[in-house]
Structure formats: C-alpha cells, structure tokens
Amino acid sequence: MRAASLLAFVILLPSFAGASDLPRSRPEDQGVSTAALLGFVEAANRIETMNSVMVFRHGQIVAEGWWAPYSAETPHSLYSLSKSFTSTAVGLAISEGKLSLDDPILKFFPEDAPTNPGPNLKAMRISDLLRMSTGHQTEPQRTKDEPWTKSFLAHPVPFKPGTHFLYNTSATYMLSAIVQKVTGQRVLDYLTPRLFEPLGIEHPTWEQSPQGVDAGGYGLSIRTEDIAKFGQLLLQKGKWHGKQLVPAEWIEAATARQTSNGSSPTSDWDQGYGYQFWRCRHGAFRGDGAFGQYCVVLPEQDAVVAITSGVKDMQAVLNVVWEKLLPAFRTDAQPRDDDAYGKLASALKGLHVEYPQGTGKPANVAGRMFAFDANPMKLESLSIQADERGDTLVIRAAGKEGRIRAGHGDWTTGPAAIGPMSALSGGKSDWLVGAASAWTADETLTVKACFIETPFIATFRLKFSGDEVRLNASNNVGFGATRAPELVGKAEHKP
C-alpha cells in the first residue's frame, strides 16, 4: 500500500493547523484521554462502513480523519441531516420578520390548496412542520406528476396538528418552499451569506424538486469539516468568531424537546424531537441522515462529533460514541502520554475501507467484450482492461460508456462517467469513485467501488467461464433492494 493512502485517518497536531481555518490541538491538552480515544477509533473501525469522523473539544479539533478512499476535500451527501440546515433557515427568516411559528401553512400556497380544506389542514402551522407533528398518518408522496406542495396539501390529515408525531420529509420540503416563498431565494442561496460563507463552507450543493425548490429534508452535500463547523456553531449558541449568525433563542428552541416520539431508554430515536433536530441520550442533541450521517452536539462535554458513514444500523454508531468516546472527555487537561499517542497515530494511519483481496487465477479475458440482454441496470456490455497496477472495468450502460479504474491492494480514485449501480443508488451520473479489485477466486474478479460523495459502496463479482460471465452486483446500503439480480453476459465474437 502506498504511504499516501495510509494517511486515511489522522490525529492533527498543531503543525497541521494550516490545513483549514479550524484550530487544532492534541487530545490531552483539551482534556481528552488518548487511550480512550484509541478505544473509540478501534471500535469505530469494526463498524462497516465508516467514512469519516471529526471531534471538537473546547473549540479545538482533537481528532479527524477519513477512511480511504474517502477524503477531507470531498463533499458528502447528508440525507436527512439536511433538515437541520432547513430549520436554521426558518429560524433566520423568523428573526428577520418574514415568518412566524404560528403562521398557517395554507396562507403561503392558496393556489395549491384543496377546494374545501378540512379543519386539521387549516390548523396546521409552521411549528407543526418543524416538530414533525403535522397530523398526517402517512407521509405525503413526492412525484413528478404534480407540485410537491400541492401533493402535501391534498394528503389526508386525520389527526389534529401537534398531537401526533410522524417523521415526515415532505413537511421539511414545505418549510423549504415557504422560505423560498417569503425570501425569493432558494434555501441554499438564502443561507449562503448568512451561514455558509461566515462558516467557510465552500461550494455547498442542494438537490431540488421539479419545481426548483431545494428538497429541504435531504439533498445537501458538504464536507465533514463543514458538518463539524455547524455543530460547533450550535454549541456556541449561534455565535462564530464573535458574531451572532443565528439567534441563540432559536437554537435553544430548535434543539430542545418540542415533542415526544417514544419512551425507550436505550434508543436515541425515542428521546424527543425539536425543530428538525433529534434529542439524544446523555443530554446531547443531533442532526442525522440516512445510513449514518451525524452532527452530534454534547453541551455537557463542550464537544461536537461529526460523522459520515454507510451503515445499516445507525444506532450502533451512536452506541460507540456513548460507550467509547464519551468516557474520553475529562474535566481537566490530561498529562501527555507520548507512548499512547504514538499507538493511536499508528492505528489511525492504517484505517481504510476494506478492499477485495485474493490470489485466484485470473481469467483470460483481455480484449473480450461481454454483452447483456435488457436488464434493470441498463447494462449493455462490459470488458476488463488489466495491467500490473490494477483493472479497468469498462461498462456500457444506457447508451453511454464509462470506466472504473480499480487498484490492486489499494484504492484508485477518479471520475466514472456513468453510475453503473443506477438501479440501486439513484441513477446519478458523473460519480467520483474510489475502487479496488482482486481475483478473489479462480477466474472470479471482485471490484469494489466507493461512490465517495455518498455512503454507497458497490461490489461487482464477475465469474468468468469460457464465453460467459456471471455478474452479481450489490450495494452496502439502500432504501430498497441492495442486491441486483444476477446478469449473464455472452462474449462477442469478432467476425
């Protein structure tokens, strides 16, 4: 493995302070036990699959890193962690006199309202959207067939707003649409001078609805460092470098328990809900997104933890934070333990997403093209181009050709012109991919591709036999199926 790739996860010493505008410190100087922090890293490394982590203590970054091929420079999709940023936009609009918590929803979209709206819909307010207490029994759908605001307002509201908690991404979309309505700007553009630019969050992007409204409940992409900055802003009650960016009163209300959502003492999804923020155990609160995107704020410990990951069990990630990281925070500065620190640094340098390994006999497939019948992945053909450093998977799908360059025993990162797992991971093209490959069995090539702007990791297992290849493809996580049906390709013979 090349040395550069070993630096996948690094504890930042003061000499690294030029890496960004955030202050860095050794853990011990901020009252963080190096030995306990090592235990946290080791436990996190056993979770499949972590992408990144950053830890603030007393306003200093004491640990940060990325599991290769994920990197500090690459933005990562936040999924529902986006909701907390939409909440912040609402709070700012309220502070500027453009909104009120008690404003009825129908007032903003009279053109999309039903002819005879029921009493519960009439009673629905902005505060109900924020608390996920809209009165819906099921979440309104968002399709291409009609405006999402109209679909929302047409959906049955069987409960009195404010009395029934239902996690509801469409409610967050309505908040985004309302902010755009009253400001004349997308939430992304509205937040740029008020939040993103002051925090040094560069080039954020946000997915939009067909009507040109930011999705609100998902779709924001920023770097791990940016998540940590947002968390530190929340911890500091909206103040950044001496300037009040967000009213402290809003942050206090948004992160407080505004509604009950369960009673389990062991679940971080049963501790209450604020205004697009979750309450946690141990006096903490968080924004979070699908597959393990976290901004965890621990006021009692004066700490922030930012995490991106691609996991099936999101509670498992928080359990490691509580069981391993929480005990690392001490009241006073700790004696410097250079031996423990050296062990920690050594452990961190080797962290990476597990890549395929094997010593199987390679198949003789150089220059051979394998064609596929019509299939859900829209895969038309594939071939393998190999050299001593790795394999290039050449794919033709939906009429376009793309290449995934995969290293041997290491990750190779580059653009992929098409998203070959479009049937499982959303159909986006022009991915940035880190890939590795190995002949994991005789005539069986395994290619693992990390779509590093997302939590998705695709694994392709190609079993060659004579003029045939059997392709089995899967994703690590997904909202639905994570495994595609087996496809059989036939070698094309030149005339």
Side-chain angles (χ1 to χ4, degrees):
M1 182 180 293
R2 293 190 293 273
S5 293
L6 289 174
L7 300 176
F9 187 124
V10 186
I11 286 286
L12 269 293
L13 297 172
S15 60
F16 286 86
S20 76
D21 59 349
L22 296 177
R24 265 78 175 174
S25 172
R26 267 184 68 142
E28 306 100 322
D29 296 350
Q30 304 305 321
V32 181
S33 164
T34 303
L37 190 55
L38 173 60
F40 166 71
V41 172
E42 290 174 338
N45 194 40
R46 291 192 289 270
I47 295 175
E48 189 178 356
T49 306
M50 298 287 284
N51 301 161
S52 70
V53 67
M54 182 174 280
V55 182
F56 260 110
R57 183 81 197 287
H58 300 330
Q60 304 275 326
I61 294 293
V62 296
E64 63 183 317
W66 292 259
W67 274 254
Y70 292 86
S71 69
E73 299 79 18
T74 308
H76 197 286
S77 180
L78 302 191
Y79 291 92
S80 286
L81 177 49
S82 307
K83 290 178 169 69
S84 299
F85 288 83
T86 301
S87 169
T88 304
V90 172
L92 287 168
I94 289 174
S95 72
E96 294 172 4
K98 295 178 170 63
L99 290 175
S100 165
L101 284 173
D102 294 326
D103 283 340
I105 305 309
L106 282 173
K107 122 180 197 181
F108 299 102
F109 308 103
E111 69 282 4
D112 292 330
T115 303
N116 296 302
N120 287 340
L121 180 58
K122 288 180 179 179
M124 193 187 302
R125 300 172 296 158
I126 285 179
S127 62
D128 299 317
L129 298 176
L130 286 163
R131 291 178 295 166
M132 299 293 190
S133 297
T134 57
H136 291 122
Q137 186 169 20
T138 59
E139 182 176 343
Q141 296 298 302
R142 302 175 300 277
T143 70
K144 297 179 180 179
D145 298 331
E146 67 177 354
W148 292 0
T149 49
K150 188 171 184 178
S151 298
F152 183 94
L153 296 174
H155 201 70
V157 187
F159 303 106
K160 183 179 179 180
T163 65
H164 179 76
F165 177 84
L166 175 72
Y167 193 71
N168 191 335
T169 295
S170 292
T172 317
Y173 174 76
M174 294 298 287
L175 293 170
S176 176
I178 289 168
V179 169
Q180 183 161 325
K181 194 91 166 183
V182 300
T183 67
Q185 293 179 291
R186 297 173 54 191
V187 168
L188 180 69
D189 296 332
Y190 180 68
L191 285 178
T192 293
R194 294 166 175 82
L195 184 75
F196 296 137
E197 288 180 349
L199 293 181
I201 297 176
E202 300 176 349
H203 312 301
T205 61
W206 210 318
E207 295 177 39
Q208 294 181 286
S209 70
Q211 292 74 48
V213 176
D214 289 345
Y218 63 92
L220 178 61
S221 290
I222 54 177
R223 301 166 300 171
T224 307
E225 177 178 302
D226 302 328
I227 300 171
K229 289 177 178 178
F230 181 60
Q232 187 65 21
L233 176 74
L234 297 169
L235 184 62
Q236 295 169 178
K237 302 295 186 184
K239 187 172 289 188
W240 193 259
H241 295 325
K243 183 179 180 181
Q244 196 72 40
L245 301 184
V246 182
E249 299 80 9
W250 176 259
I251 290 177
E252 289 174 0
T255 61
R257 182 187 177 109
Q258 294 290 344
T259 189
S260 176
N261 61 351
S263 61
S264 172
T266 60
S267 171
D268 283 291
W269 279 264
D270 277 22
Q271 306 306 308
Y273 195 76
Y275 293 155
Q276 309 287 292
F277 287 90
W278 297 90
R279 294 295 305 176
C280 303
R281 294 176 288 167
H282 306 290
F285 63 86
R286 73 187 187 281
D288 76 28
F291 315 122
Q293 324 315 317
Y294 290 106
C295 179
V296 183
V297 181
L298 301 95
E300 295 175 12
Q301 288 75 29
D302 193 30
V304 173
V305 184
I307 291 172
T308 64
S309 57
V311 298
K312 295 183 177 72
D313 184 357
M314 291 178 63
Q315 183 65 67
V317 177
L318 291 176
N319 288 345
V320 169
V321 172
W322 308 139
E323 295 167 10
K324 299 295 184 179
L325 185 58
L326 189 62
F329 298 128
R330 309 293 169 80
T331 303
D332 301 316
Q334 301 295 294
R336 287 198 172 193
D337 185 340
D338 290 337
D339 180 62
Y341 189 80
K343 291 178 181 178
L344 176 63
S346 177
L348 296 176
K349 288 180 182 179
L351 291 178
H352 56 81
V353 177
E354 291 298 323
Y355 41 74
Q357 300 182 57
T359 57
K361 175 185 175 183
N364 184 18
V365 293
R368 303 192 77 184
M369 180 77 71
F370 293 84
F372 296 82
D373 293 334
N375 57 81
M377 290 173 60
K378 300 181 181 180
L379 178 62
E380 298 166 6
S381 65
L382 67 79
S383 63
I384 304 295
Q385 297 177 356
D387 57 40
E388 66 279 3
R389 295 185 300 168
D391 301 292
T392 300
L393 183 61
V394 183
I395 300 172
R396 185 168 184 82
K400 297 181 180 180
E401 183 177 281
R403 295 168 178 259
I404 296 178
R405 175 65 179 171
H408 282 167
D410 199 1
W411 296 101
T412 298
T413 300
I418 58 174
M421 290 297 287
S422 60
L424 299 180
S425 57
K428 180 180 180 291
S429 60
D430 300 317
W431 296 91
L432 186 62
V433 174
S437 64
W439 291 93
T440 50
D442 288 350
E443 299 189 310
T444 300
L445 180 68
T446 299
V447 179
K448 198 170 186 178
C450 300
F451 294 79
I452 59 178
E453 296 163 290
T454 81
F456 293 112
I457 300 175
T459 300
F460 307 93
R461 186 174 180 271
L462 299 104
K463 172 66 176 176
F464 295 94
S465 178
D467 288 344
E468 182 179 275
V469 61
R470 291 184 175 272
L471 169 64
N472 285 277
S474 62
N475 267 7
N476 58 328
V477 292
F479 291 105
T482 57
R483 186 173 298 276
E486 182 179 75
L487 301 180
V488 179
K490 301 293 185 181
E492 294 183 338
H493 294 279
K494 296 180 180 179

